[in-house]
Amino acid sequence: MKTWHEIRGFPLAIRLLLVNQLGVNTGFYLLIPYLAVHLSEDLGLSAAVVGVVLGVRNLSQQGLFLIGGSASDRLGARGVIIAGCALRTVGFGLFALGDGLAVLLAASVLSGLAGALFNPAVRAYLALEAGERKPEAFALFSVFATTGALIGPLLGSALLLVGFRASALTAAGIFAVLTIAQAVVLPAREVTPSSNSVLGDWREVMGNRGFVAFAVAMVGMFTMENQLYLLLPDGARRATGWDGAAGLVFLVGTLTNLWLQLRITRALKSRGTRARWISGGLTLMGLAFIPPMTMAGTRTSHGGFGDAVLGALPVLAGALLLYLGVMIAQPFVMELIPRFGRPELTGTYFGLFYVVSGVAAAVGNSVVGWAMDTGEHAGAQWLPWACCLAFGLASAVGVAWLHRRRVLPAQVTPVPVPA
């Protein structure tokens, strides 16, 4: 009830953006986790071609976040959000209807570009619209996003019984509905003209050394968060001998997020500095990898249900701690980003931040993947967990150091830009 009351306390635009994020994640995870299997098994494409199609989608999104952020600042976040949802509708529709390589590449480019457009635009709109209640707004945003990330794979698994095209058309339909809803309901906001060129805006943001240092310090957060899809599911499967154990990781996280996210953010908002909670959340995220690390490689056989449960407990404990760390840090990270610069460049700041996070996730996953392979061959299964622990502690120390050097913005809520 408190969560529902909190949602109703926000203006219609923010409530719509929360529902939008639920739909975005539902549609995305309804399709993307099953795309590689469709390309290889249904269409008979080689592993190399599948890698190209998936890589083009990822590169189109991660590499163009800065363009999406600048478009949000100059054209208005509303129009960019609508354009992004419309492009993803077309992209996912092409996945359903096209079998040729050219069509698949076009679908990958369009769906990736769509994410590059609406991801920074949604966050910029939310930051400017929420005013003093940014932490609560981003906390609810996380709740809706996490819920969508759980609903999507479950719905996708059911639709795959009909066929991949049914999944793709359903995902495209979700984005079509979101496009119409944004166009009809989302209020337009006046855009403040920029005195700089686009390149001038980029130079201003990239020249903000404090912001760049903060973005680099947050590399560990995105690396660890990505292990919810790589290391932790793999650890759950190894510990239990059951492929479905990976789903328990997401179930634990979603239920915890729904129950505690808003409570945690509201409790911490008025206690201590933002840097304290960001650093503390990062530390907890790093420590989350200790329970599964202590048990890594110790269970090679499974005697039954009891052994499977005991094997899963350290991994699920780690997943729980990781989600708690994210819930502590992430709303305050999102709140802090716009405070580094002018409100007119909010989208550009979010865009650059997500470019850095995309590179961090790719590099971090490569390091963890290398550690998984090396640990497997050398009999050191603890190695990838130790790498993630090091990422978390390094990021926590980096944020604390920036705070001590007074590099981070003061904890003063700026006046929101008038409509």
Side-chain angles (χ1 to χ4, degrees):
M1 292 299 294
K2 289 183 178 180
T3 300
W4 177 247
H5 178 74
E6 189 78 31
I7 294 171
R8 294 197 60 176
F10 282 105
L12 176 62
I14 290 183
R15 299 203 300 269
L16 179 60
L17 291 178
L18 296 177
V19 175
N20 179 76
Q21 192 60 27
L22 173 68
V24 164
N25 275 19
T26 299
F28 181 84
Y29 289 103
L30 164 64
L31 175 71
I32 295 301
Y34 309 104
L35 180 58
V37 176
H38 167 67
L39 296 176
S40 60
E41 296 185 4
D42 297 340
L43 302 185
L45 300 179
S46 67
V49 175
V50 172
V52 169
V53 173
L54 298 179
V56 165
R57 193 211 67 80
N58 191 60
L59 182 62
S60 299
Q61 178 164 316
Q62 304 294 348
L64 298 177
F65 273 132
L66 193 55
I67 293 176
S70 290
S72 172
D73 291 333
R74 291 177 170 270
L75 304 177
R78 176 182 180 273
V80 176
I81 293 169
I82 294 170
C85 287
L87 283 177
R88 185 153 283 181
T89 301
V90 176
F92 282 4
L94 288 176
F95 277 128
L97 303 176
D99 296 337
L101 181 58
V103 176
L104 294 173
L105 289 175
S108 294
V109 170
L110 290 175
S111 58
L113 176 60
L117 289 176
F118 62 67
N119 276 343
V122 165
R123 286 158 178 78
Y125 198 117
L126 201 68
L128 294 174
E129 193 77 15
E132 296 183 0
R133 300 175 66 196
K134 287 184 182 68
E136 291 89 344
F138 281 111
L140 288 171
F141 191 80
S142 175
V143 170
F144 278 77
T146 303
T147 304
L150 177 66
I151 294 173
L154 296 177
L155 183 58
S157 298
L159 288 171
L160 281 178
L161 298 175
V162 180
F164 177 82
R165 295 186 191 280
S167 297
L169 288 174
T170 301
I174 290 173
F175 278 96
V177 171
L178 294 176
T179 303
I180 296 171
Q182 309 298 341
V184 173
V185 181
L186 194 63
R189 294 291 181 255
E190 183 179 349
V191 179
T192 303
S194 177
S195 58
N196 284 338
S197 63
V198 173
L199 292 178
D201 289 344
W202 292 0
R203 283 193 295 269
E204 179 179 336
V205 175
M206 293 178 185
N208 189 327
R209 296 182 179 179
F211 171 72
V212 173
F214 177 70
V216 171
M218 296 307 300
V219 162
M221 185 177 85
F222 293 101
T223 299
M224 292 184 291
E225 202 171 357
N226 266 263
Q227 302 321 306
L228 291 168
Y229 308 100
L230 177 62
L231 185 56
L232 283 165
D234 181 75
R237 285 190 290 265
R238 289 174 179 268
T240 63
W242 175 44
D243 289 340
L248 296 177
V249 172
F250 301 107
L251 181 62
V252 166
T254 302
L255 295 178
T256 305
N257 189 276
L258 289 171
W259 182 36
L260 293 177
Q261 175 66 85
L262 189 60
R263 290 179 171 88
I264 289 173
T265 302
R266 294 178 69 179
L268 300 182
K269 179 182 176 181
S270 58
R271 296 178 173 89
T273 63
R274 299 295 185 257
R276 173 186 177 184
W277 298 123
I278 294 172
S279 183
L282 290 168
T283 301
L284 185 58
M285 290 175 71
L287 296 177
F289 294 92
I290 292 180
M293 180 174 66
T294 60
M295 301 296 293
T298 60
R299 287 185 177 271
T300 56
S301 63
H302 308 284
F305 179 75
D307 283 347
V309 171
L310 290 176
L313 286 178
V315 179
L316 295 181
L320 177 61
L321 292 175
L322 183 59
Y323 272 103
L324 287 172
V326 173
M327 285 188 283
I328 291 171
Q330 194 172 65
F332 299 123
V333 172
M334 295 294 104
E335 178 200 18
L336 202 59
I337 291 170
R339 295 184 177 178
F340 278 96
R342 295 184 287 128
E344 296 83 0
L345 295 181
T346 297
T348 306
Y349 274 97
F350 273 112
L352 180 59
F353 186 79
Y354 276 98
V355 168
V356 174
S357 72
V359 174
V363 174
N365 275 350
S366 298
V367 172
V368 174
W370 169 84
M372 291 171 69
D373 291 338
T374 303
E376 185 71 22
H377 294 313
Q381 285 83 0
W382 52 267
L383 184 59
W385 307 99
C387 286
C388 293
L389 171 62
F391 276 125
L393 297 182
S395 280
V397 170
V399 172
W401 181 78
L402 291 175
H403 177 60
R404 290 196 61 175
R405 294 292 301 272
R406 301 184 183 276
V407 173
L408 302 181
Q411 191 168 311
V412 177
T413 303
V415 178
V417 177

